[in-house]
Amino acid sequence: GEPPARAPAPLGFTDVNLNSRNTYEVSRRRSAPEHLPHGGTAPAAPAPPQEPAERARRAGIAGAGSSFAEFFTRNFFTKRTKELKPAVQSAPGWKLFGKVPPRENLPKDSKIIQQEYEARTGRMYKPPPSSARRKNIEFEPLSTTALILEDRPANLPAKSVEEALRHRQEYDEMVAEAKKREIKEAHKRKKIMRERFKQEENIASAMVIWVNEILPNWEGMRATRRVRELWWQGLPPSVRGKVWSLAVGNELNITPELYEIFLSRAKERWKSFSEPSSETDTEDAVASVADREASLELIKLDISRTFPSLYIFQKGGPYHDLLHSVLGAYTCYRPDVGYVQGMSFIAAVLILNLEEADAFIAFANLLNKPCQLAFFRVDHSMMLKYFAAFEVFFEENLPKLFLHFKSYSLTPDIYLIDWIFTLYSKSLPLDLACRVWDVFCRDGEEFLFRTGLGILRLYEDILLQMDFIHIAQFLTKLPEDITSEKLFSCIAAIQMQNSNKKWAQVFASLMKDSKEGDKNHSPALKS
């Protein structure tokens, strides 16, 4: 007989089975009654009889505890084991998505690439013999240069014959250009080496002349034309310090013993500054101690910034304490001058070429020269006279650049102060600065301003295209590739004569005009 119709199932959670192809259809069928009402379409096959346990489970699914527990314990996302699928070879042509088969990504050997190129173009490539390939220079094309000869990946269109030929031509052109650059650089290196060897030979021969002929007869030969010409070419490093000491002189009559005295005083002050001061100090004493402490702190700061690329004057370097001693002893020797920024560069150059006591003697006498004393004591009236004399010869030698500077109101103090304070040892490479010092010891302060005009002449074309800001920045930090030959050729072209007046005469006339102006404006004459 026909089984009785089931009561409609109570509301519960839908049984979802993700293993089926259509989860929605399966859940719908399971929630529908087993027999369709009359008038409906009969099922294609009768449903299998259900077990009593299955009916009981379905009847009891409406229970609150059972339904929630089964919901939380049911595995909604069943694990699927990965099935290994055989790799399907991709058809040639465009392939926007999907992986390229592994065998198509294998790197090709260079011989295979060459064989494919020869088969495609019909040209045979014969490599040059090893002797011709590496004859005078060693040249290796960059590894990325030959990538242009590679075939495209399989997921991109293949190269045509014309494109392959064009790429081969471009590759040959790149190799040829790289070879030209390599040859040019090799010739440049050879030229530099030849010039260096020639310079070393000249220095060696000049050293023999200085040691055997000039230095033993210094007073009689220093002013001769032969010695002056040899001096202009640069002093040999082995005799440079000795010649500097003789040229600068010792008008102050400083002895090594005197240096030790002032050095001991400086060390005592450093020790007293490190100790706490007593409360009974007067205001003047406190002020003077503060000034000296500021000066010593400035020395420490400047020493760390002196030739930082050499790493020999920084803390822990071999010349750090030596430079500190020379500068500290000078502040005790000349308290009226004290320490001024820029002194550390001058003292460092002297230390590199002289012994400690000799460096201090040359340092003290060098700063006692009128020009250095005016700048380091910040004598504004004297500094303005030096600037005025410089502008006289600036206008005489470089009129076009002089007018260009005037149009921007660019005065000499903007770039000359740093050059004079450090004697070009900060602005120029060290070897070139030492050669400037050589001729400065021969010619005196005039050569400092002549060197400044030589620098302006060397970079005249560049400076004419700059404005105020760029000119000031350029002259503050000169290019590092400046060579002594170019600079000294420009210095030699500078004529230090104005209306048949030399530097000393022009400066003396400016001093005379200044004194007359001071007399005319003095209160005594007015009264």
Side-chain angles (χ1 to χ4, degrees):
E2 186 175 350
R6 270 195 326 178
L11 294 175
F13 292 98
T14 304
D15 188 9
V16 181
N17 187 2
L18 293 181
N19 289 326
S20 302
R21 187 170 56 88
N22 193 329
T23 57
Y24 175 76
E25 181 67 22
V26 173
S27 61
R28 185 183 64 81
R29 290 177 179 177
R30 288 184 179 181
S31 61
E34 295 181 0
H35 291 86
L36 296 175
H38 296 287
T41 306
Q50 292 183 343
E51 298 288 343
E54 177 69 14
R55 289 175 182 172
R57 187 184 67 81
R58 287 190 174 277
I61 200 171
S66 175
S67 61
F68 279 105
E70 190 170 343
F71 170 73
F72 285 111
T73 56
R74 185 180 294 117
N75 187 7
F76 279 93
F77 302 98
T78 59
K79 296 181 180 179
R80 294 183 180 182
T81 58
K82 295 184 179 179
E83 298 179 357
L84 296 177
K85 297 182 180 180
V88 181
Q89 302 298 333
S90 59
W94 290 92
K95 187 175 182 181
L96 299 180
F97 304 100
K99 296 182 179 179
V100 180
R103 70 177 185 83
E104 297 179 2
N105 276 340
L106 293 177
K108 295 183 179 180
D109 189 42
S110 59
K111 294 182 178 179
I112 299 177
I113 297 173
Q114 187 65 33
Q115 291 174 0
E116 291 179 357
Y117 169 73
E118 292 174 356
R120 189 165 57 247
T121 60
R123 295 168 55 186
M124 295 296 293
Y125 174 72
K126 295 181 179 180
S130 58
S131 60
R133 194 182 309 159
R134 294 176 175 270
K135 191 172 183 180
N136 293 325
I137 62 169
E138 293 185 359
F139 169 72
E140 286 288 345
L142 296 176
S143 59
T144 56
T145 308
L147 290 178
I148 196 173
L149 299 179
E150 294 282 350
D151 290 333
R152 292 195 182 96
N155 60 336
L156 295 177
K159 292 182 182 180
S160 62
V161 178
E162 294 79 6
E163 189 177 7
L165 290 174
R166 187 176 73 252
H167 286 178
R168 180 68 191 186
Q169 183 179 1
E170 292 175 358
Y171 170 75
D172 294 338
E173 291 176 357
M174 286 188 290
V175 171
E177 289 295 329
K179 194 171 183 179
K180 287 180 181 178
R181 288 195 302 269
E182 191 70 20
I183 293 173
K184 187 176 180 180
E185 292 177 359
H187 288 320
K188 186 178 180 180
R189 288 193 297 267
K190 288 181 179 179
K191 184 179 179 181
I192 293 174
M193 291 301 296
R194 285 197 301 268
E195 292 177 354
R196 186 173 298 174
F197 290 150
K198 184 179 179 181
Q199 185 179 6
E200 290 178 356
E201 291 177 358
N202 295 335
I203 289 174
S205 60
M207 183 186 64
V208 175
I209 297 174
W210 279 98
V211 172
N212 297 333
E213 300 180 22
I214 300 175
L215 290 178
N217 306 298
W218 173 254
E219 294 299 333
M221 295 189 64
R222 63 176 300 180
T224 59
R225 182 175 181 179
R226 179 193 175 194
V227 173
R228 291 181 65 85
E229 290 178 355
L230 199 62
W231 209 331
W232 176 268
Q233 297 173 6
L235 298 173
S238 58
V239 300
R240 175 167 281 153
K242 181 65 174 178
V243 175
W244 285 359
S245 297
L246 293 173
V248 172
N250 189 10
E251 296 178 354
L252 300 175
N253 296 320
I254 302 175
T255 60
E257 293 77 15
L258 188 63
Y259 166 67
E260 293 296 334
I261 293 173
F262 286 110
L263 179 58
S264 62
R265 289 184 185 177
K267 290 181 179 179
E268 290 176 0
R269 287 186 178 181
W270 296 333
K271 186 178 179 180
S272 63
F273 291 157
S274 61
E275 297 175 356
S277 58
S278 61
E279 298 181 357
T280 59
D281 292 338
T282 61
E283 294 183 358
D284 295 339
V286 171
S288 62
V289 168
D291 292 340
R292 287 195 296 270
E293 284 181 347
S295 181
L296 290 177
E297 289 297 326
L298 191 59
I299 290 176
K300 292 180 180 179
L301 181 61
D302 268 12
I303 288 177
S304 63
R305 297 184 297 190
T306 303
F307 297 120
S309 60
L310 297 181
Y311 299 105
I312 58 177
F313 295 105
Q314 280 66 38
K315 191 172 184 179
Y319 290 145
H320 174 269
D321 296 338
L322 190 60
L323 181 58
H324 195 272
S325 299
V326 171
L327 294 175
Y330 182 79
T331 56
C332 295
Y333 174 69
R334 292 296 300 265
D336 58 324
V337 179
Y339 178 78
V340 182
Q341 282 184 321
M343 287 183 177
S344 60
F345 282 90
I346 299 177
V349 174
L350 292 172
I351 288 173
L352 291 175
N353 293 275
L354 291 166
E355 296 296 330
E356 181 177 355
D358 296 331
F360 176 79
I361 295 171
F363 181 71
N365 282 275
L366 187 60
L367 297 191
N368 197 49
K369 302 293 181 182
C371 180
Q372 279 64 48
L373 202 59
F375 276 82
F376 282 111
R377 297 180 74 171
V378 196
D379 189 343
H380 292 284
S381 61
M382 288 293 293
M383 291 171 67
L384 290 176
K385 294 180 182 63
Y386 278 109
F387 294 149
F390 174 81
E391 285 192 312
V392 170
F393 294 96
F394 187 6
E395 186 178 9
E396 181 74 20
N397 288 274
L398 305 169
K400 193 174 181 180
L401 186 62
F402 177 78
L403 294 176
H404 183 66
F405 278 26
K406 281 292 185 182
S407 63
Y408 287 108
S409 300
L410 201 149
T411 53
D413 58 291
I414 295 176
Y415 51 92
L416 270 183
I417 285 180
D418 191 46
W419 293 352
I420 302 300
F421 267 104
T422 61
L423 300 181
Y424 297 96
S425 57
K426 182 182 177 182
S427 305
L428 297 177
L430 184 57
D431 56 343
L432 182 53
C434 287
R435 188 173 173 186
V436 171
W437 278 45
D438 293 342
V439 189
F440 163 64
C441 292
R442 186 195 76 172
D443 295 346
E445 64 185 33
E446 173 187 339
F447 189 74
L448 294 178
F449 298 94
R450 189 179 180 186
T451 301
L453 293 175
I455 294 173
L456 296 179
R457 182 184 180 89
L458 178 61
Y459 298 109
E460 180 179 11
D461 296 336
I462 299 175
L463 295 173
L464 285 173
Q465 301 174 3
M466 294 182 178
D467 56 3
F468 181 92
I469 298 297
H470 291 89
I471 291 174
Q473 292 176 348
F474 183 86
L475 295 178
T476 301
K477 185 174 178 58
L478 296 172
E480 296 181 356
D481 58 349
I482 182 173
T483 60
S484 59
E485 289 77 13
K486 292 181 179 179
L487 177 59
F488 271 78
S489 63
C490 293
I491 294 174
I494 299 296
Q495 300 296 325
M496 298 300 286
Q497 286 188 353
N498 177 261
S499 302
N500 296 327
K501 289 184 179 181
K502 296 184 178 181
W503 169 268
Q505 295 172 336
V506 171
F507 187 76
S509 63
L510 290 172
M511 291 287 293
K512 184 179 178 181
D513 295 341
S514 177
K515 289 180 180 179
E516 291 179 356
D518 293 340
K519 289 181 180 180
N520 294 332
H521 292 85
S522 62
L525 292 177
K526 288 183 179 179
S527 61

